[in-house]
Amino acid sequence: MAICKIFDPYPKTDRKDFFDNEEIINEVEKLIEGKFWPLLIGPKRIGKTSILKIVGKEINGIYIDASGVRSLKELGELIVNSLQLKVEIDLKIVKIEIQKKPVRGIQNLLNKLGETVILIDEVQNILLHGLYLYFLLLTIIPRLGLHSRVQ
């Protein structure tokens, strides 16, 4: 018995399974290519996670689910764990640095990643636990030639 993926309640990872949302996916990819940081806001279960997963797959980005993240240290560990097969960085050193000094460790990791796109789902969980991430990102944005824009 075949299952129709269009009505499957779980997030999609492929564009062909994400019915009638080509325009949104294309717009998010265009913003990222233009070095903007799009912020997806909307009610639950309308496809924000699917958009992040599809875009991440198509641009070879790194998808992070920050649902259970309670600190920058946990965020750093999530990023490192998702990088295991994607980049050539000595992750053991990065892990130790993040354990000892999370802000500096994540900052150094983001610098090493250069133009690699990280897509963070449920980012509000991180922001609720302090402004460190916000200030950390503010120091990285200009160095990478990125822009921020609210629409």
Side-chain angles (χ1 to χ4, degrees):
M1 180 168 150
I3 297 174
C4 178
K5 289 187 179 184
I6 293 173
F7 300 110
D8 177 7
Y10 299 103
K12 312 300 180 261
T13 57
D14 198 306
R15 187 185 285 252
K16 70 177 172 29
D17 299 328
F18 198 51
F19 181 72
D20 200 28
N21 286 292
E22 293 286 318
E23 191 176 315
I24 296 169
I25 294 170
N26 292 338
E27 180 66 22
V28 171
E29 287 179 348
K30 190 165 65 171
L31 286 168
I32 291 171
E33 287 168 7
K35 299 200 178 204
F36 286 94
W37 291 19
L39 178 63
L40 305 179
I41 301 173
K44 291 181 178 191
R45 311 214 32 92
I46 63 164
K48 299 178 302 292
T49 297
S50 293
I51 293 168
L52 288 178
K53 286 184 171 198
I54 292 166
V55 169
K57 180 180 172 185
E58 290 184 359
I59 65 171
N60 200 25
I62 299 164
Y63 171 82
I64 303 288
D65 180 2
S67 295
V69 173
R70 302 228 187 288
S71 68
L72 284 177
K73 190 182 293 187
E74 288 179 22
L75 174 64
E77 290 168 359
L78 260 177
I79 295 170
V80 167
N81 292 339
S82 64
L83 288 174
Q84 298 294 340
L85 301 172
K86 290 207 174 227
V87 290
E88 295 179 23
I89 297 174
D90 188 348
L91 296 177
K92 290 178 186 173
I93 293 172
V94 172
K95 277 185 179 182
I96 293 168
E97 192 173 34
I98 288 172
Q99 287 295 316
K100 292 185 176 190
K101 297 182 179 180
V103 173
R104 182 171 292 162
I106 292 174
Q107 189 173 29
N108 289 338
L109 175 60
L110 292 175
N111 283 329
K112 289 176 184 175
L113 290 175
E115 302 225 353
T116 303
V117 175
I118 301 174
L119 302 109
I120 304 176
D121 200 0
E122 303 295 340
V123 72
Q124 74 275 7
N125 294 321
I126 302 164
L127 298 177
L128 291 174
H129 296 286
L131 295 174
Y132 287 117
L133 178 66
Y134 175 74
F135 292 115
L136 177 69
L137 294 175
L138 284 179
T139 63
I140 299 294
I141 289 171
R143 280 188 253 156
L144 297 178
L146 299 172
H147 313 283
S148 58
R149 177 174 86 186
V150 177
Q151 288 187 327

